[in-house]
Amino acid sequence: MSDDQLEIVTASLTNVGLVRTKNQDSCGEFQRPDGTHLLVVADGMGGHRGGEVASAAAIQIIGRHFENGVGDPVEFLGQAFGAANDEILRLATEDPKLSRMGTTGVAVLILPDRSAFVANVGDSRAYRLRDGKLSPITADHSWVAEQVRAGRMSEEEAEDHPRRNVLSRCIGIQPLMEVDIDAVDIQPGDQFLLCSDGLWGLVPPSQIVEILEHQDAELAASQLIALANERGGQDNITVQIARFPSTTPREDTARLSASSPDATLELPAIDVPDAPPRSMLLPFAIGAALLLLGAALLWSGAIESPFAQPSALADPRGIER
Ligand code: CA
């Protein structure tokens, strides 16, 4: 790999969790020959097969747009998400059993010039880990998040609120959909984490940091999923990691670079039928008590959103799932 090409290590995993019978999450990881990467997580909702269909369609349509070329990054992300919205609406119109299905969507587009863009609709999240600090780079489109941003609810109240699953914005529900798109800079050593609420709702940021900083990308993804399942696994869990090695070479960089295909379009989702064994979590059991103590402090101290902005409710009725 030449010095001027951006090195990147990625990992993607999705898991049904311990309670649900179906996995309505989907994820996709795409790469172009010029080194441009796209990671996407979608968390579907809707009865019958709706949730699975919606999240898979979103990944497929966004991936297909990527295959056709990126051009202007902001324009690309807006058009790709818009096309996913149109397709899910079309599928729901064709089959009454799929009516009112929808999905969240969060995507990180990484360009060879070391710039990145994040796009978001719904309450799946993207974070950037830098120097031990995990910062959200998306703002949730949920009823409780809107209340927190408006100062009407605390973060703690939102965590346990009975309406915490109500989305204020969603792909595939309305013909007009607003997408949040922001530029994000990358420095050597940074990591991006994309995940569905099955992870961030159960695993505190301090433990996410601990795992991301000390494991290679693939092991970190499986350990994050295992930890969510240890904590009940009430929801489907999806994790994607994109890691930019620091100037000090890392073992996992060399390994993944050697096995990277020239251009991949893997559709969609790597399904993990079983949670990793409990023994994988043993190293964390000892640290857990200490980490839990620090978690409350870190939650307020370590988490800040450079992009969090109040936004109007797209659908004041909310989208229940
Ligand atoms: Ca979910």
Side-chain angles (χ1 to χ4, degrees), residues 25 43 197-198 235 321:
D25 285 1
D43 175 354
D197 62 337
D235 199 355
R321 53 179 168 172

Side-chain angles (χ1 to χ4, degrees), residues 20 25 43-44 123-124 165 196-198 235-237 321:
R20 305 279 177 92
D25 285 1
D43 175 354
D123 72 348
S124 297
N165 287 330
S196 58
D197 62 337
D235 199 355
N236 307 142
I237 311 148
R321 53 179 168 172

Side-chain angles (χ1 to χ4, degrees), residues 13 53 90 120 124 134 136 146 211 265 271 280 316:
L13 278 180
V53 172
R90 188 188 69 77
N120 183 52
S124 297
L134 191 69
E146 305 283 358
I211 291 172
L265 268 181
D271 200 27
M280 196 173 277

Side-chain angles (χ1 to χ4, degrees), residues 14-20 23 225 229 232-237 272-273:
T14 185
N15 183 269
V16 70
L18 299 179
V19 174
R20 305 279 177 92
N23 191 351
I225 283 176
N229 279 327
Q234 290 96 337
D235 199 355
N236 307 142
I237 311 148
V272 181

Side-chain angles (χ1 to χ4, degrees), residues 2-19:
S2 64
D3 287 340
D4 58 354
Q5 185 161 0
L6 180 63
E7 286 187 44
I8 177 170
V9 177
T10 59
S12 299
L13 278 180
T14 185
N15 183 269
V16 70
L18 299 179
V19 174

